[in-house]
Amino acid sequence: MNVLNDFWNDDDQELANIDVLENCVNCENISAAQRLECDSIIRTKGTPQICFRPEYLTVSDLVKQQWCEQQLVYSLDPGIYLIRAPPGMVVDIEETPEQKLVKKKGSDIHFQRELEIQVPIQVNIETKEDDWGVKFLNLQFAVQSFYNGNRLAREIPVFGVPFDKDVFVYGIIDELQYNLNEYTVIITELKTRRNSFPPKQGQIRKDKYQVSLYAQLFNDLVEGRFSKELMAAKLQLNINAQFSKSVMKHITQSRINSANKIHTLGALIDAVLTQVQAMPPVHFAKVEYIHQETKQVISVVDFCLDFQSLAEQYSRHIEWWLAKRGTAGVEVEDCWKCSYCLFSEFCEWRKVMAERATKEAYRTKCVTDASLR
């Protein structure tokens, strides 16, 4: 021990400090998300899925998660964010009138596009089974329109358990384009923008993820990977219960084979899936960005669907919902998102990242000082 001390100088001590600090920084990279206070609060109530989405997730939930997981937490339970503010401080987390107007304009444009090819019909819903029955009828309507010679369908509901992760997911496809001659289907998502500038790569990644999830759900239906029994268990549905008269009226008016014999959700699912499974799966997709005011196209992103990459990203997201890992916000290169966030002022993830940056800056200083000795 004494011999080793004879060869131990100040430079060695400085380098030892660097090694220890580097290990701390690496630990921060790995486990910071598992030490957030928001995770501790959620865990007292159960998993995020149990707390916020006990029956099913929506594609919108997963897209928000892809954008920023910490923001998703605060939007699901603003109280988790508000307790971080100093006592007595009034914190405003409401969207500005301008932000609300932008969203309304986007919704209006989507609705106008839907009206171009179809007119929504009001259906009286009496039970959960009625509600899901109408969703399957809307899916059937879209597929039937293709068989009738139409090339376009909009607002198509899709649902299922992607990649066998035991979590039910529901979403609505913006648009499907069917080419009868080539027997292909392309999925399209319309995004409206307040300004006329092309979207950033972070926004494009989010939108491609959204479209890819829709495609996976659609393909699962087409390729026979949908289980009505699993759906019934997840959503606590009685697939053998009789539909209400209002829903039965629309079933009999549909072009489903033996429609007069369909009285339950289970029977309707079987009939609709028979039609859906005659469709080709989706392999190509595109995201179209238009200017809200002029309606002019800003840019179009065409891409081949990468389901392996999607499975990896989706699996990581589901790990959070099942409490297999902690919350993780945006990385440094995406910190520009914080300037658009209602929760940025007291965001816990930003605090963690700031502390990490301070440690890394100190580490860099230590390395520089050691090299000058």
Side-chain angles (χ1 to χ4, degrees), residues 150-181:
N150 295 323
R151 290 174 172 257
L152 198 65
R154 289 180 176 145
E155 302 299 313
I156 307 104
V158 284
F159 19 70
V161 182
F163 304 109
D164 296 322
K165 292 300 179 181
D166 202 36
V167 175
F168 198 84
V169 180
Y170 165 67
I172 300 179
I173 295 174
D174 192 14
E175 179 178 292
L176 287 177
Q177 299 175 6
Y178 179 53
N179 188 317
L180 179 61
N181 296 328

Side-chain angles (χ1 to χ4, degrees), residues 49 55-62 132 157-163 165-172 213-214 217 221 226 231 234-235 314 318 321:
Q49 184 186 15
E55 291 189 345
Y56 63 90
L57 303 182
T58 65
V59 171
S60 295
D61 291 329
L62 293 160
W132 283 95
V158 284
F159 19 70
V161 182
F163 304 109
K165 292 300 179 181
D166 202 36
V167 175
F168 198 84
V169 180
Y170 165 67
I172 300 179
L213 283 172
Y214 289 146
L217 290 168
L221 290 166
F226 180 87
M231 172 184 174
K234 290 293 182 184
L235 307 184
Y314 176 78
I318 293 302
W321 286 99

Side-chain angles (χ1 to χ4, degrees), residues 350-367:
R350 291 187 75 192
K351 179 175 180 291
V352 168
M353 294 297 283
E355 291 172 351
R356 180 191 301 179
T358 300
K359 290 180 179 180
E360 290 179 345
Y362 177 70
R363 171 182 172 276
T364 301
K365 179 180 181 301
C366 290
V367 172

Side-chain angles (χ1 to χ4, degrees), residues 260-296:
N260 60 329
K261 297 181 180 179
I262 297 174
H263 304 282
T264 66
L265 179 59
L268 178 62
I269 291 174
D270 290 339
V272 173
L273 289 182
T274 298
Q275 285 188 285
V276 172
Q277 289 169 7
M279 295 289 295
V282 177
H283 296 291
F284 303 98
K286 66 179 179 179
V287 184
E288 182 179 359
Y289 299 90
I290 68 169
H291 187 225
Q292 283 191 344
E293 297 300 329
T294 65
K295 309 298 189 297
Q296 292 184 342

Side-chain angles (χ1 to χ4, degrees), residues 299-311:
S299 64
V300 177
V301 178
D302 296 283
F303 63 101
C304 295
L305 293 159
D306 182 353
F307 293 109
Q308 181 176 349
S309 175
L310 174 66

